[in-house]
Amino acid sequence: RGDKTVTAQWQVNSHTLTWNVNGGDPLTGEYTTGSVEYGTTIIPPASPTRIGYTFAGWGAEVAQTMPDHDLVYTAQWTVNTYTITLDQQEATTPGTTSVEATYGSALPSIAENLPTKTGYDFGGYYTDSDGLSQLPVFQLSFSMGTTVFANSYIGNYYFSRKRSIAKMVSSL
């Protein structure tokens, strides 16, 4: 009966690695996810995207290698603010020339400071300078760098700075 040698056998632990986009678009490309063995190099995904928001990180510094426990990284977002330019279209007395709008929030009121033009009634803001696309400003969807245009009318006739033909307001 001699001495015996017993050799220990080790099995590397695996843990779950999850990336929560928190309202963002699905992740694409190659990255480490799912069941990951302890010590494996973690390859983070490319920054996710979300309409109206800027990616602000994963909420915690991403580990270089998989630790000996599960990990969940959650995307953090900063809501975007946009400048909306209110083109006065040759107003006699300019009104508010721009407003800052936060994505997903109501637009700031501009009703207290509308432009005026001698001999004209204010006809509203439009998404084009030709006055063909009038929508109530509160219903418009804006993105970065949006400009809306003021247009005016005299009596029942509508005039736009870039059109020489009058159009009946009632037909708009």
Side-chain angles (χ1 to χ4, degrees):
R1 304 194 163 205
D3 293 337
K4 263 194 167 185
T5 302
V6 179
T7 305
Q9 299 292 314
W10 298 99
Q11 183 176 2
V12 66
N13 293 336
S14 290
H15 296 281
T16 303
L17 173 58
T18 305
W19 305 93
N20 176 351
V21 294
N22 191 21
D25 295 327
L27 296 172
T28 60
E30 301 212 10
Y31 56 94
T32 308
T33 191
S35 182
V36 181
E37 290 183 349
Y38 168 78
T40 299
T41 299
I42 294 176
I43 300 170
S47 296
T49 58
R50 182 177 176 189
I51 293 174
Y53 294 83
T54 299
F55 178 65
W58 289 108
E61 186 174 337
V62 176
Q64 296 284 322
T65 59
M66 189 66 188
D68 199 18
H69 57 81
D70 292 347
L71 285 176
V72 176
Y73 291 105
T74 302
Q76 303 300 302
W77 302 100
T78 303
V79 66
N80 292 341
T81 298
Y82 302 100
T83 298
I84 300 169
T85 302
L86 304 169
D87 188 317
Q88 308 295 297
Q89 296 284 74
E90 301 173 3
T92 307
T93 306
T96 302
T97 58
S98 68
V99 293
E100 296 293 314
T102 301
Y103 181 82
S105 299
L107 290 173
S109 175
I110 58 170
E112 301 82 32
N113 194 17
L114 295 174
T116 61
K117 186 173 183 177
T118 303
Y120 294 81
D121 292 322
F122 180 68
Y125 282 104
Y126 293 69
T127 57
D128 64 50
S129 61
D130 291 333
L132 299 175
S133 58
Q134 181 183 26
L135 292 172
V137 171
F138 62 85
Q139 290 182 353
L140 296 177
S141 175
F142 295 107
S143 59
M144 187 167 54
T146 297
T147 299
V148 293
F149 301 87
N151 285 294
S152 305
Y153 60 89
I154 298 176
N156 288 333
Y157 293 92
Y158 163 82
F159 293 90
S160 175
R161 181 174 66 97
K162 293 191 176 181
R163 292 196 320 174
S164 58
I165 301 171
K167 183 173 184 178
M168 295 292 291
V169 173
S170 61
S171 69
L172 295 174

